[in-house]
Amino acid sequence: MSQLSRFAVPAIMVAGSLCLVMPAAHATTVTRATAPAASCSQSYLPLPDPACTPGATNPDVTQATIGSTICVSGWTATVRPPTSYTNALKKQGIADYGYSDTNMSDYEEDHFLPLEVGGAPRDPKNLWPEPHAGNENSRSKDSVENAVKKAVCAKKATLSAAQHALLTDWTTAESVLGIS
């Protein structure tokens, strides 16, 4: 299955012999039988391949709405997709990225542009299987996301500057924004 399958909009999700009917806007086809070689490059790690995972914004989060969205404690829990949705993407993404370790618990299906700064919750262009391994990984990215969100909510950085810094290179976002 090519990387393109992560962006398909079919009406049925197929995982093994289980079929789940999903809204077409959120469905993804997942099969393993015909998966070819990796279609996404690992050479960008700890960042995702920009051709496969360019990131996407949540249109409900703007500079004008941060006070009623990302700056409200617990808001991300209201938009975070369930694992029943993200696990199918994670499984396909592990294949797309050609990871030799296919243990799903060794990855976080991560929002490249974090929900904390207005990343799109369900858009496959914003979700990828980020490894837990390595020095700059899914766990270290979480602290950066929180620091950047704090800076946006404290008006030490604009939402657009924060989003740009994280999408360019989350490992340097704090220093680029002058909040480290």
Side-chain angles (χ1 to χ4, degrees):
M1 178 120 345
S2 72
Q3 174 264 335
L4 181 60
S5 68
R6 290 177 56 97
F7 305 107
V9 189
I12 297 176
M13 175 185 285
V14 180
S17 62
L18 175 65
C19 291
L20 301 172
V21 176
M22 297 183 65
H26 303 298
T28 301
T29 300
V30 178
T31 62
R32 299 288 287 174
T34 59
S39 56
C40 302
S41 175
Q42 296 178 39
S43 66
Y44 297 93
L45 289 173
L47 306 173
D49 180 337
C52 295
T53 314
T57 59
N58 180 344
D60 295 334
V61 179
T62 65
Q63 189 68 44
T65 65
I66 62 172
S68 61
T69 56
I70 66 169
C71 297
V72 173
S73 180
W75 180 81
T76 59
T78 68
V79 296
R80 186 174 308 283
T83 56
S84 60
Y85 174 75
T86 59
N87 274 349
L89 289 175
K90 184 193 301 191
K91 185 175 182 180
Q92 184 59 53
I94 289 169
D96 289 345
Y97 274 88
Y99 293 133
S100 57
D101 174 4
T102 59
N103 184 347
M104 290 194 23
S105 65
D106 291 339
Y107 304 90
E108 174 182 331
E109 187 66 6
D110 193 38
H111 291 91
F112 180 38
L113 182 60
L115 298 178
E116 289 88 336
V117 291
R122 289 181 168 259
D123 191 329
K125 293 182 284 189
N126 197 41
L127 287 156
W128 75 296
E130 184 176 21
H132 292 312
N135 292 332
E136 295 172 325
N137 59 41
S138 60
R139 292 180 181 105
S140 56
K141 183 176 179 250
D142 289 343
S143 65
V144 173
E145 295 169 359
N146 292 331
V148 171
K149 174 198 160 194
K150 244 185 213 182
V152 170
C153 294
K155 298 184 176 29
K156 293 179 179 177
T158 65
L159 179 65
S160 63
Q163 290 175 337
H164 183 265
L166 287 163
L167 289 172
T168 301
D169 185 346
W170 70 263
T171 68
T172 61
E174 291 175 288
S175 62
V176 166
L177 295 170
I179 59 171
S180 54

